[in-house]
């Protein structure tokens, strides 16, 4: 059958874009160029009209510093859309920013978006509709653990087991793969944001100190850990004393931060143990050879790989550039349309196996 020359030309000129629409950060992969955007998923809006005033890095700089008529919000919570119109505006901004790099920016792009494996059909449709409303010609949805595994170079299409633990901002995705599909999976709403909140609560309960999300995130990234460190560290917490109402700074150690994070880390480990407990023996044997891959920003938590190895007795390794695994995986799928179609069939089969907490 003859190929339509107009569609063929549009395919050459338009962009193919892979998007990791994360709760904390949004990454955009452009076919042939790699990752061109990596910005926080924050939007500053006017309170009355909900009109976006700043998006991405500029919006995050305003967190906790806005006047009363402006709100800095994250339109995604726990990996799903909570503010549809604001998410649409954010997607439109990022897609437009990626399109600026195209020689011929007229055709609308084809977009692949990563979503948590445990989302409902309504939540899937919200992401799909937002992508089309933001200017996409076509929109496809890819489960984040599958995209992360592909981006990490794991052999998901082979007849042997491989496992990934993708810890993002809003969700933690645990998935066991074989033959191009998800055999077992867990999707937890416990991840980086929950860890930040743990630190905020710890500072409030132990030191009567109110700190912000950005301070908590900085502490987590600097000295947060899941396992004893060779050299324990400390950092200064700055906030407002809840008793005096005055500014205060205290020193907090990595031991204390580890104690604060123990609840969230323990929840993730328990879900991982349950997944391994349900894994068929043949695939367990494969995992003992291939190990467990950590991806996402939370996967870089100090000592987490050592803690998992100690708990489940399986070698655990961190993916190369774990923050970008989902976006790179979506981009690799876009490199070949046939692979994309084959993958989408596998996605429909595998998504029924994921459970959500």
């Amino acid at each position: 059958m003859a190929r339509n020359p107009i569609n063929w030309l549009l395919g050459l000129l338009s962009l193919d874009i892979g998007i990791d629409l994360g709760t904390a950060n949004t990454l955009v992969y452009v076919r042939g160029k790699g990752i061109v955007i990596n910005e926080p998923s924050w939007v500053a809006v006017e309170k009355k009209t909900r009109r976006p005033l700043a998006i991405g890095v500029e919006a995050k700089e305003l967190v906790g510093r806005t006047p009363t008529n402006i709100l800095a919000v994250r339109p995604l919570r726990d990996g799903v859309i909570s503010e549809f119109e604001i998410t649409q505006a954010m997607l439109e901004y990022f897609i437009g920013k990626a399109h600026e790099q195209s020689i011929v920016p007229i055709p609308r792009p084809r977009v692949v978006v990563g979503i948590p494996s445990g989302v409902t059909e309504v939540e899937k449709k919200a992401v799909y509709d937002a992508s089309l409303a933001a200017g996409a010609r076509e929109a496809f949805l890819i489960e984040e653990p599958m995209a992360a595994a592909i981006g990490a170079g794991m052999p998901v299409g082979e007849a042997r087991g491989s496992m990934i633990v993708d810890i993002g901002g809003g969700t933690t995705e645990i998935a066991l793969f074989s033959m191009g599909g998800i055999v077992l999976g867990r999707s937890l709403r416990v991840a980086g944001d929950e860890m930040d909140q743990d630190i905020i609560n710890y500072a409030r309960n132990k030191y009567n100190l109110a700190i912000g999300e950005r301070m908590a995130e900085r502490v987590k990234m600097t000295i947060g850990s899941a396992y004893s460190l060779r050299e324990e560290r400390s950092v200064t917490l700055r906030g407002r004393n809840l008793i005096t109402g005055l500014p205060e700074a205290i020193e907090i150690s990595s031991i204390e931060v580890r104690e604060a994070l123990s609840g969230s880390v323990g929840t993730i480990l328990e879900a991982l143990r349950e997944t391994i407990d349900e894994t068929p023996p043949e695939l367990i044997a494969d995992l003992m050879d291939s190990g467990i891959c950590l991806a996402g920003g939370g996967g870089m938590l100090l000592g987490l790989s050592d803690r998992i190895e100690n708990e489940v007795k399986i070698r655990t390794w961190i993916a190369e550039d774990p923050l970008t695994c989902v976006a790179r995986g979506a981009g690799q799928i876009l490199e070949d349309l046939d692979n994309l179609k084959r993958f989408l069939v596998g996605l429909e089969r595998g998504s029924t196996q994921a459970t959500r907490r």
Side-chain angles (χ1 to χ4, degrees):
M1 185 166 150
R3 179 182 294 177
N4 186 318
I6 295 177
N7 290 339
W8 176 77
L9 181 60
L10 287 177
L12 287 178
L13 295 178
S14 63
L15 288 179
D16 285 339
I17 297 175
I19 299 177
D20 176 8
L21 188 61
T23 305
N25 295 283
T26 297
L27 290 83
V28 178
Y29 179 105
V30 174
R31 185 164 64 96
K33 294 186 177 180
I35 294 174
V36 297
I37 295 172
N38 183 355
E39 295 196 28
S41 300
W42 282 92
V43 181
V45 298
E46 198 172 21
K47 186 178 289 187
K48 289 184 178 179
T49 64
R50 308 296 285 180
R51 179 172 61 91
L53 302 175
I55 297 173
V57 174
E58 293 181 6
K60 188 172 183 179
E61 289 296 321
L62 299 176
V63 175
R65 298 170 175 152
T66 58
T68 55
N69 64 319
I70 297 176
L71 288 175
V73 300
R74 288 200 294 184
L76 292 104
R77 284 288 173 185
D78 299 324
V80 296
I81 293 176
S82 59
E83 300 271 2
F84 182 84
E85 292 182 357
I86 298 177
T87 301
Q88 176 187 327
M90 185 176 75
L91 273 173
E92 189 173 353
Y93 169 79
F94 288 134
I95 290 174
K97 196 170 180 180
H99 226 131
E100 288 173 1
Q101 304 185 37
S102 177
I103 299 174
V104 184
I106 296 174
R108 299 196 299 172
R110 181 171 51 190
V111 174
V112 174
V113 185
I115 57 170
S117 59
V119 297
T120 65
E121 292 302 318
V122 173
E123 291 164 341
K124 286 180 184 178
K125 191 173 187 307
V127 176
Y128 177 82
D129 290 345
S131 301
L132 292 181
R137 181 174 85 253
E138 291 181 280
F140 302 96
L141 305 182
I142 299 177
E143 288 180 316
E144 287 179 353
M146 180 64 82
I150 293 171
M154 299 175 67
V156 294
E158 298 181 9
R160 59 190 178 100
S162 54
M163 179 176 280
I164 194 165
V165 180
D166 179 17
I167 307 175
T171 60
T172 293
E173 306 288 330
I174 303 171
L176 172 67
F177 308 100
S178 182
M179 292 292 292
I182 297 178
V183 179
L184 293 169
R186 295 284 192 281
S187 183
L188 296 83
R189 292 187 171 186
V190 176
D193 289 349
E194 193 74 17
M195 293 180 189
D196 295 342
Q197 192 60 48
D198 288 342
I199 295 172
I200 291 173
N201 293 339
Y202 187 88
R204 176 184 294 269
N205 295 333
K206 184 169 183 178
Y207 294 106
N208 293 311
L209 189 70
I211 63 172
E213 291 181 9
R214 294 183 65 186
M215 174 61 69
E217 183 182 29
R218 190 178 303 121
V219 169
K220 177 188 69 179
M221 295 173 65
T222 305
I223 64 170
S225 63
Y227 203 69
S228 299
L229 304 177
R230 291 182 179 179
E231 293 184 10
E232 300 294 351
R233 312 173 191 174
S234 63
V235 73
T236 301
L237 272 184
R238 293 183 176 89
R240 175 172 52 84
N241 188 293
L242 292 170
I243 297 176
T244 65
L246 300 175
E248 186 176 358
I250 63 166
E251 287 286 323
I252 187 170
S253 71
S254 55
I255 298 174
E256 292 176 286
V257 176
R258 187 160 59 248
E259 179 185 344
L261 298 176
S262 61
S264 294
V265 172
T267 300
I268 294 170
L269 286 170
E270 180 60 27
L272 177 59
R273 279 194 294 265
E274 289 176 4
T275 305
I276 292 174
D277 185 53
E278 296 171 14
T279 301
E282 290 296 334
L283 295 181
I284 281 287
D286 293 337
L287 290 183
M288 294 180 72
D289 289 332
S290 62
I292 298 171
C293 176
L294 290 178
M300 297 189 295
L301 184 69
L302 295 174
L304 182 58
S305 59
D306 294 332
R307 175 78 179 273
I308 292 175
E309 281 191 17
N310 186 61
E311 295 268 348
V312 302
K313 312 304 181 186
I314 297 176
R315 179 178 64 90
T316 305
W317 51 282
I318 301 174
E320 182 180 354
D321 198 4
L323 282 169
T324 66
C325 281
V326 173
R328 286 188 287 117
Q332 288 179 40
I333 293 297
L334 279 172
E335 296 295 336
D336 190 322
L337 181 59
D338 291 335
N339 284 340
L340 174 61
K341 289 179 179 178
R342 180 171 59 86
F343 173 77
L344 289 175
V345 173
L347 171 62
E348 292 172 359
R349 287 198 303 265
S351 62
T352 60
Q353 301 295 324
T355 58
R356 187 175 190 172
R357 292 186 175 185

